[in-house]
Amino acid sequence: MWYSRAALQWYRLLYDAFLSRLPEPVAISLGQTALRRLPFDRFTGFRLEDSRLAVTLGGVRLPNPVILAAMYYDRRILERAMGLGFGAVTTKTITREPRPGHPQPNLVRVRTAAGAGLVNCNGFQNPGAAAFTATLRGLAHRVPLIVSVAGETEDDYVELARTLGSLGDLVELNISSPNTRLVYAWNTRPKDLRVMLERVRAVAGVPVILKLSPDFADVNEREIIPAALEAGVRVLNYGNTRRIDEPRLSQGTGGLSGPEIFPATLANVQRTRTRFGSALDLIATGGVDAPDKARALLDAGATAVGYFTGFITRGPILARQILEALVAR
Ligand SMILES: Cc1cc2nc3c(=O)[nH]c(=O)nc-3n(C[C@H](O)[C@H](O)[C@H](O)COP(=O)(O)O)c2cc1C
């Protein structure tokens, strides 16, 4: 459609000439203010309704396979995002207690050969489970809502899945953010992970998604995915950011997102689908910032694709552009 192409061009100009020249936290905060204040979601042009686009994740029907990945916890932003063409929207990862996150600077922009990306060491800045329960109560699910949670202990995950899970349509367990040691460490404890997943499934009341790290590709295939399957988890999100050293960040390391990690996402999806067949529904996240990348992941066996960095660098029209490309096919 001409207007989605025009909107993409317009946003590209705005991003290249203005937003990308601001420090990234300022640009992100401007974007969040705009999302909170301006009723973008009333513009029907962001959406494309076509029953051929529908998919199911763990038995839950999504109107299309494009998912906004974990980042936002603000109620107004979540509400708006659900009207911007996505087939599902994921919340920021929520922990039991509120967390201030890591100190600034915790987000920087990188220019890689593949295009614009981000490196963050956000450290799960979030309002905590009690406040977020209030946020989610009464929130209209215009499309399915995926509630993301993480903890440091087995009990944390079980408690979060019990209290927050049923306020979403699916619950996503984050064991893959590289910025909080104890979450990331689940990747080295597959036996404990299996027990945790069994307990979570027993209380969640909604399908469970396990979000994997691209930093553990071998371990994922050998131990983590088999442990998830044995525990009855049928949906994977592959995956999160890639851990890299970044001296500009307060922690000296962070998670790289954006087009540089796309080749790894594609390879991970291809291998996982080949190895585990149709036993799993697979969300492919990492580096999607153009329709052809979303298509390549779906062709490689992904059930759905997620992205966050593309939402920042390409703007809110990207979902519509991807949907047009899928319908054209
Ligand atoms: C600033 C920032 C915050 C993020 N917060 C979370 C989070 O709370 N939970 C999570 O599972 N992933 C989080 N992510 C990771 C994204 O959801 C996504 O998995 C990752 O960025 C790779 O996708 P992308 O290349 O499309 O951005 C965050 C990413 C960024 C850049």
Side-chain angles (χ1 to χ4, degrees):
M1 282 263 188
W2 66 268
Y3 68 78
S4 64
R5 275 196 302 276
L8 196 73
Q9 293 299 346
W10 178 85
Y11 186 86
R12 213 166 259 183
L13 273 178
L14 175 76
Y15 188 80
D16 290 345
F18 177 59
L19 291 173
S20 71
R21 289 166 200 258
L22 299 171
E24 191 55 29
V26 178
I28 292 251
S29 145
L30 262 179
Q32 294 196 5
T33 306
L35 266 176
R36 259 192 302 267
R37 298 258 166 92
L38 306 174
F40 287 108
D41 54 324
R42 287 204 204 136
F43 175 53
T44 54
F46 282 118
R47 300 188 285 277
L48 200 165
E49 274 140 40
D50 187 316
S51 58
R52 290 171 299 171
L53 291 169
V55 294
T56 57
L57 270 186
V60 175
R61 183 184 185 277
L62 275 55
N64 69 64
V66 181
I67 298 176
L68 182 63
M71 165 62 189
Y72 297 119
Y73 58 76
D74 180 284
R75 181 184 171 108
R76 188 65 68 74
I77 294 180
L78 291 171
E79 260 167 359
R80 292 236 197 284
M82 289 193 226
L84 294 180
F86 294 105
V89 166
T90 317
T91 71
K92 174 90 192 153
T93 297
I94 303 299
T95 52
R96 265 169 117 163
E97 301 302 326
R99 285 176 65 106
H102 290 311
Q104 301 276 357
N106 57 26
L107 180 64
V108 293
R109 197 180 292 118
V110 281
R111 288 240 161 246
T112 66
L118 301 170
V119 191
N120 88 86
C121 65
N122 177 281
F124 294 152
Q125 189 217 339
N126 82 93
F132 199 60
T133 300
T135 297
L136 291 187
R137 284 233 163 88
L139 179 72
H141 296 195
R142 296 160 78 177
V143 294
L145 182 73
I146 301 172
V147 177
S148 170
V149 299
E152 296 181 348
T153 65
E154 197 179 303
D155 285 349
D156 282 351
Y157 281 91
V158 174
E159 183 58 17
L160 285 160
R162 194 182 62 74
T163 51
L164 286 178
S166 59
L167 296 172
D169 300 283
L170 298 108
V171 64
E172 181 166 278
L173 309 186
N174 181 355
I175 57 160
S176 44
S177 284
N179 304 309
T180 31
R181 194 174 50 81
L182 289 164
V183 169
Y184 206 49
W186 281 98
N187 293 287
T188 60
R189 296 161 48 205
K191 288 203 182 75
D192 297 341
L193 178 70
R194 180 187 159 171
V195 175
M196 182 268 271
L197 293 174
E198 278 169 354
R199 287 186 60 201
V200 162
R201 279 197 65 235
V203 299
V206 293
V208 174
I209 305 170
L210 187 65
K211 188 169 182 184
L212 302 176
S213 165
D215 296 339
F216 291 90
D218 288 351
V219 186
N220 284 336
E221 276 155 55
R222 217 176 39 240
E223 300 185 277
I224 303 292
I225 300 174
L229 284 169
E230 280 163 25
V233 171
R234 292 284 173 268
V235 194
L236 297 179
N237 184 351
Y238 211 147
N240 218 307
T241 54
R242 174 196 297 162
R243 183 179 206 155
I244 60 165
D245 289 337
E246 176 46 80
R248 288 176 292 169
L249 293 173
S250 65
Q251 306 303 296
T253 63
L256 172 68
S257 59
E260 182 78 7
I261 65 173
F262 174 77
T265 309
L266 183 59
N268 290 336
V269 165
Q270 271 161 343
R271 275 198 327 275
T272 305
R273 187 53 89 201
T274 305
R275 173 125 190 228
F276 297 95
S278 57
L280 289 164
D281 289 338
L282 203 47
I283 305 169
T285 306
V288 173
D289 63 354
D292 58 332
K293 292 183 183 161
R295 260 204 323 222
L297 291 170
L298 293 168
D299 287 345
T303 315
V305 295
Y307 63 83
F308 170 67
T309 303
F311 188 65
I312 303 298
T313 57
R314 302 292 186 225
I317 200 68
L318 178 60
R320 163 86 197 205
Q321 282 247 310
I322 294 173
L323 297 178
E324 283 176 13
L326 297 182
V327 167
R329 189 171 63 162

